[in-house]
């Protein structure tokens, strides 16, 4: 091998190592697909119809970010380690960016829990003062209390983040999935505690809510499509990298 | 300058740079001092807010409460000022970036944020449990309207303060000592929030009160012990800095 070949091989090794350090290839595409599924599934399946101790659509939906993390790890092991384990040179800037992404997710989750707490408190404050009406209101809200596992989901999302997120693309995919799941938890946690009123169940779907949900669904659909394209492109980069490798018997 | 003197100067520069990158000197001591001040202010606040012998005007009580819960943020604001005033007398120097060090710093930030999220989750769960308690004890339902304003006041702290603490963490933590100081101040704020939380009308019992009192006392003793050590360590680090300045070769040499 001459100097040119060696430098070419060095560049290839660096690119290959990047797939083990921060690039995720098809895992990004899978993240996009899962984000789309989180929009499509609730349209066709009764996700809000859940019973304690029964594995329903809602449980599966809220576990999506964690399922994605697990599948991502498996995909990386199966697809992008064809030539064994390689370590990328440590990079302070990459490490800082990665942690900032995890920190951003944690701030969002903290903000989400804060909104949940304040919403819950204001909901309780909005309860009627007349004991008879109050008793009826409490009876009505009993079903709507979020189960313990749902309340601990934000904590689980953050617990998994720093050990599984490697690059910006992965952080973005994970953030989108977490935000979508949090919106579902929020729908169950906060809407029920809006100022109480007598009569039929108040669903909380105002004009602004519907527009907000539509805008969000469009944004997520757009991002999901882009993520699938980007992920596929990255996977093809990896395949190209394999093709450019010099044959084992080459001199 | 010969080689020996040059390597000595290199060593001194590294030590000096460490004060701008991760060592905090008197800021650690300030952290310890503020932990003690927080404790004393809280000891003053409890009898005042409960109207026990002392009758202070309501704004004073409120200011006192804000002072207590804003102490970690106050430390975060004062720390860079101290660093700028005390440890930059020979100009600005940058330490070489290190991945291991950066990772450690972020592990601390992550630990603090995780603790705050855990606290918020526990708060939400206990709120739900309290709500369920009202449902299973119908006579307690009648107490809700009278208890509500106090719940609101105490829960506003629960909701807002952890977010503010978490937001400040990556900007004010540079080294392990600073991370430890900030963690202790944040933990102190959270402990006082829990103590001030009054959603206990349903599950209240004298035994649980005694149990919580014992836990609170032990935690305070640990924090005060750490605060004393932090003051000593901070002062020692400050003296190290003064020694660096003394060891500098004179300009005319």
């Amino acid at each position: 091998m001459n100097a040119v070949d060696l430098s070419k091989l060095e560049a290839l090794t660096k690119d290959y190592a990047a797939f083990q350090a921060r690039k995720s290839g098809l895992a990004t595409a899978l993240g996009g697909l899962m984000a789309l599924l989180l929009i499509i599934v609730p349209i066709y399946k009764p996700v809000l119809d859940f019973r304690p101790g029964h594995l329903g659509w809602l449980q599966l939906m809220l576990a999506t970010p964690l399922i994605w993390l697990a599948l991502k790890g498996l995909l990386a092991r199966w697809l992008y380690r064809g030539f064994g384990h390689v370590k990328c040179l440590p990079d302070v800037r990459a490490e800082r960016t990665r942690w900032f992404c995890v920190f951003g997710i944690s701030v969002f989750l903290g903000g989400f829990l804060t909104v949940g707490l304040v919403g819950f408190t204001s909901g309780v404050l909005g309860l009627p003062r007349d004991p008879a009406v109050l008793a009826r209101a409490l009876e009505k809200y009993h079903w709507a209390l979020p189960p313990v596992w749902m309340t601990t989901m934000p904590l689980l999302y953050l617990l998994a983040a720093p050990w599984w997120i490697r690059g910006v693309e992965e952080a973005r995919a994970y953030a989108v999935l977490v935000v979508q799941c949090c919106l579902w938890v929020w729908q169950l946690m906060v809407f029920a505690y809006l100022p109480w009123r007598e009569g039929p169940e108040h669903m909380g779907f105002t004009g602004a809510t519907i527009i907000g949900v539509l805008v969000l669904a469009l944004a997520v659909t757009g991002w999901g499509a882009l993520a699938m394209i980007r992920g596929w492109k990255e996977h093809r980069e990896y395949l190209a990298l394999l093709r450019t490798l010099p044959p084992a018997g080459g001199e | 300058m010969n080689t020996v003197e040059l390597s000595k100067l290199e060593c001194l520069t590294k030590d000096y740079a460490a004060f701008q990158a991760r060592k905090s000197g008197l800021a650690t001591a300030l952290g310890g001092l503020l932990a003690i001040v927080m404790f004393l202010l809280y000891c003053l606040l409890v009898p005042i807010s409960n109207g026990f012998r002392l009758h202070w005007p309501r704004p004073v009580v409120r200011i006192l409460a804000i002072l207590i819960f804003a102490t970690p943020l106050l430390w975060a604001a004062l720390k860079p000022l101290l660093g700028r005033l005390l440890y930059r007398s020979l100009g600005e120097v940058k330490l070489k970036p290190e991945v291991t060090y950066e990772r450690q710093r972020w592990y601390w930030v992550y630990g603090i944020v995780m603790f705050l999220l855990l606290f918020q989750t526990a708060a939400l769960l206990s709120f739900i449990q309290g709500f369920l308690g009202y449902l299973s004890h119908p006579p307690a339902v009648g107490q809700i309207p009278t208890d509500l304003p106090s719940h609101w006041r105490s829960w506003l702290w629960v909701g807002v303060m952890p977010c503010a603490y978490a937001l400040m963490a990556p900007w004010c933590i540079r080294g392990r000592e600073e991370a430890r100081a900030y963690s202790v101040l944040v933990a102190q704020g959270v402990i006082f929030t829990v103590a001030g939380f009054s959603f206990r009308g349903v599950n209240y019992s004298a035994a649980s009160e005694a149990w919580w009192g014992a836990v609170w006392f032990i935690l305070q003793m640990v924090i005060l012990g750490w605060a004393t050590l932090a003051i000593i360590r901070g002062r020692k680090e400050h003296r190290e800095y003064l020694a660096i300045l003394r060891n500098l070769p004179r300009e005319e040499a």
Side-chain angles (χ1 to χ4, degrees):
Chain A
M1 263 190 181
N2 57 25
V4 178
D5 285 340
L6 270 176
S7 72
K8 202 177 159 188
L9 193 63
E10 188 194 342
L12 279 174
T13 314
K14 267 186 190 167
D15 287 346
Y16 173 69
F19 273 90
Q20 283 179 35
R22 51 181 171 264
K23 286 188 178 181
S24 50
L26 282 187
T28 310
L30 181 72
L33 183 71
M34 281 180 142
L36 289 179
L37 281 177
L38 281 178
I39 292 177
I40 296 165
V41 168
I43 298 172
Y44 296 104
K45 297 287 174 188
V47 287
L48 294 181
D49 183 24
F50 70 96
R51 283 165 286 165
H54 174 78
L55 186 72
W57 287 101
L58 187 73
Q59 280 94 329
L60 268 176
M61 272 175 63
L62 296 187
T64 307
L66 305 174
I67 293 170
W68 177 74
L69 285 181
L71 287 176
K72 183 182 74 69
L74 287 175
L75 269 180
R77 200 170 282 263
W78 284 338
L79 295 173
Y80 306 116
R81 283 203 191 167
F83 295 98
H85 193 59
V86 174
K87 266 195 177 177
C88 218
L89 279 176
D91 183 359
V92 175
R93 192 177 286 180
E95 189 65 17
R96 205 171 284 164
T97 313
R98 188 178 85 85
W99 276 105
F100 261 117
C101 291
V102 173
F103 180 69
I105 293 171
S106 69
V107 166
F108 167 77
L109 290 171
F112 168 73
L113 281 177
T114 305
V115 170
L117 277 167
V118 174
F120 205 107
T121 318
S122 62
V124 173
L125 279 171
L127 286 171
R129 301 295 168 104
D130 176 30
V133 186
L134 179 64
R136 279 210 302 281
L138 289 175
E139 196 62 40
K140 186 175 172 180
Y141 283 143
H142 192 197
W143 69 271
L145 285 168
V148 171
W149 68 267
M150 200 186 282
T151 319
T152 54
M153 283 319 276
L155 201 65
L156 283 179
Y157 295 149
L158 181 62
L159 201 67
W163 320 110
W164 294 87
I165 289 175
R166 299 171 310 159
V168 179
E169 278 295 333
E170 289 187 359
R172 214 175 279 157
Y174 190 65
V176 170
L177 292 174
V178 164
V179 169
Q180 276 182 290
C181 289
C182 280
L183 284 176
W184 278 103
V185 177
W186 184 68
Q187 147 80 15
L188 288 162
M189 261 179 20
V190 187
F191 275 12
Y193 306 105
L194 288 173
W196 187 81
R197 64 188 73 171
E198 287 230 65
E201 199 57 58
H202 175 64
M203 292 303 289
F205 287 118
T206 57
T209 316
I210 291 167
I211 291 170
V213 167
L214 277 176
V215 169
L216 197 81
L218 271 175
V220 171
T221 310
W223 176 84
L226 278 176
M228 283 197 274
I229 294 165
R230 264 203 308 267
W232 178 242
K233 212 173 150 187
E234 221 170 69
H235 182 66
R236 278 167 65 192
E237 269 175 36
Y238 180 77
L239 294 177
L241 192 143
L242 291 190
R243 275 196 300 273
T244 45
L245 268 177
E251 285 178 29
Chain B
M1 262 190 186
N2 56 29
T3 326
V4 178
E5 280 173 339
L6 267 176
S7 71
K8 201 179 159 188
L9 191 63
E10 188 194 343
C11 248
L12 281 172
T13 313
K14 268 187 189 164
D15 288 346
Y16 173 72
F19 273 88
Q20 282 179 35
R22 49 177 170 260
K23 286 188 176 180
S24 51
L26 282 186
T28 310
L30 181 72
L33 187 70
L34 283 177
I36 297 171
V37 170
M38 260 176 112
F39 172 75
L40 294 175
L41 284 178
Y42 188 76
C43 289
L44 187 66
L45 179 76
V46 172
I48 291 172
S49 56
N50 290 341
F52 180 72
R53 288 189 189 172
L54 300 159
H55 293 286
W56 286 29
R58 192 126 197 94
V60 177
V61 176
R62 199 160 288 173
I63 289 167
L64 208 58
I66 290 170
L67 262 178
I68 290 170
F69 290 103
T71 304
L73 308 177
L74 186 74
W75 177 79
L78 285 175
K79 190 184 66 67
L81 283 178
L82 267 181
R84 200 170 282 264
L85 280 171
L86 295 172
Y87 306 117
R88 283 201 193 169
S89 47
L90 303 174
E92 204 176 342
V93 176
K94 267 194 177 176
L95 205 67
K96 273 186 181 169
E98 263 178 59
V99 173
T100 320
Y101 157 72
E102 188 66 20
R103 204 170 286 161
Q104 266 178 7
R105 191 177 83 86
W106 277 103
Y107 273 130
W108 273 101
V109 174
Y110 174 70
I112 291 170
V113 174
M114 198 69 209
F115 166 70
L116 290 169
L117 225 67
L118 186 73
F119 167 66
Q120 280 189 315
T121 307
L124 196 59
L125 283 173
S126 65
F127 209 124
I128 293 167
Q129 204 207 1
F131 199 75
L132 281 173
Y134 274 127
L135 285 172
S136 54
H137 294 78
V141 171
Q143 289 176 3
I144 292 181
T146 51
D147 292 348
L148 286 181
S150 62
H151 297 337
W152 173 241
R153 274 199 302 277
S154 51
W155 277 90
L156 196 62
W157 291 114
V158 175
V160 177
M161 288 320 280
C163 261
Y165 296 153
L167 265 175
M168 285 300 285
W171 321 112
C172 70
I173 291 174
R174 297 176 311 163
R176 197 180 295 167
E177 280 297 330
E178 289 186 358
R180 220 174 272 160
Y182 191 66
S183 307
V184 170
L185 291 174
V186 164
Q188 187 79 310
V190 168
I191 291 167
F192 292 155
T193 312
V194 172
F197 169 48
S198 56
F199 202 98
R200 58 185 185 193
V202 181
N203 298 322
Y204 174 79
S205 70
S208 69
E209 193 80 342
W211 195 79
W212 279 114
V215 171
W216 192 85
F217 179 76
I218 292 166
L219 282 174
Q220 288 311 309
M221 286 302 110
V222 171
I223 287 172
L224 291 178
W226 173 85
T228 316
L229 280 176
I231 293 173
I232 296 166
R233 264 202 308 266
R235 202 176 143 63
K236 208 174 151 188
E237 221 169 69
H238 182 67
R239 280 163 66 191
E240 271 174 35
Y241 179 77
L242 295 178
I244 291 173
L245 292 190
R246 273 197 302 272
N247 286 339
L248 273 174
R250 295 191 179 184
E251 233 173 316
E252 62 269 20

